[in-house]
Amino acid sequence: MRTLIVTAHPDAESLTHHAARRLQQVLGAEAAEVVDLAGEGFDPRFTAGDRRAYLGRGPTAPDVVAEQERVDAVEHLVLVFPVYWWSMPALLKGWVDRVFVAGWAFDAGEDGRIVPRLQRLTVHLLPLSGTSAASFARHGYADAFSAQVHGGIVDFCGARRGRTAFVHDSEGGERAPAAVEAAVQQVASTITAAAG
């Protein structure tokens, strides 16, 4: 398996889950795994135990280690999610908060500088937004999203930026499935091209 597709939506019949399943279909079940954080009951809360582990004063929680091992086993990570309040849902953000921690995703050097550790990983994004691309641009949400997710997570950990394929107007009825298919094909072709 080369690709891990992580999704965070409470409705298994949502367009978000459809996009994740369709991407797995295009890549092939033997080459891609879909992780449904809501369906698996992942706990997104960054607890006192997580804080102790982050500070090097305690062990990393077993559920976090299991997620890190999933990511370690692949070359490509695809985050498929609905856009909530111009960013990712709390469940997915909590997954990032708990899993992408010091000692695994990055380290702090002796000079205080961040030392990224995920250079081997390419991260792709397939966000589904109920608003239009024009609205994103007009209000500066595209730049804010990029700063938060591309810069604040992907770049910070040293991972490579893969394809970001937005589905806008995802609640727009009959146009949404075609937009999802186009986004899926963009991400899949980027992953396939990287395979060589």
Side-chain angles (χ1 to χ4, degrees):
M1 185 205 348
R2 299 180 57 249
T3 301
L4 187 68
I5 303 165
V6 177
T7 189
H9 196 293
D11 181 359
E13 299 305 313
S14 67
L15 194 60
T16 300
H17 281 283
H18 167 73
R21 289 188 299 265
R22 181 67 184 124
L23 180 58
Q24 182 187 36
Q25 239 178 3
V26 172
L27 293 173
E30 70 288 343
E33 175 189 358
V34 175
V35 173
D36 173 6
L37 295 177
E40 292 184 1
F42 180 80
D43 185 352
R45 296 172 300 164
F46 192 87
T47 66
D50 292 314
R51 175 76 175 149
R52 284 190 296 276
Y54 177 82
L55 295 172
R57 298 180 187 154
T60 302
D63 62 334
V64 172
V65 172
E67 296 302 316
Q68 291 171 341
E69 288 173 350
R70 278 176 158 169
V71 177
D72 282 339
V74 300
E75 298 168 45
H76 297 272
L77 172 64
V78 185
L79 305 180
V80 182
F81 58 94
V83 175
Y84 291 172
W85 295 105
W86 317 114
S87 190
M88 56 181 61
L91 177 57
L92 184 57
K93 179 60 166 59
W95 183 79
V96 171
D97 289 347
R98 293 190 68 211
V99 174
F100 285 63
V101 293
W104 181 77
F106 63 91
D107 284 316
E110 290 189 21
D111 60 359
R113 293 185 187 190
I114 297 301
V115 180
R117 296 187 62 185
L118 296 183
Q119 293 91 338
R120 58 173 181 69
L121 186 67
T122 301
V123 180
H124 310 268
L125 306 173
L126 204 164
L128 293 91
S129 171
T131 59
S132 68
S135 177
F136 253 64
R138 182 171 58 252
H139 296 291
Y141 300 138
D143 292 338
F145 180 91
S146 183
Q148 290 175 57
V149 182
H150 292 131
I153 300 170
V154 179
D155 296 348
F156 188 86
C157 298
R160 293 182 298 273
R161 289 189 192 188
R163 175 67 68 132
T164 295
F166 263 96
V167 175
H168 287 286
D169 297 312
S170 64
E171 297 170 356
E174 68 277 355
R175 292 185 315 242
V180 166
E181 184 63 23
V184 163
Q185 293 298 332
Q186 289 173 25
V187 173
S189 65
T190 301
I191 291 170
T192 304

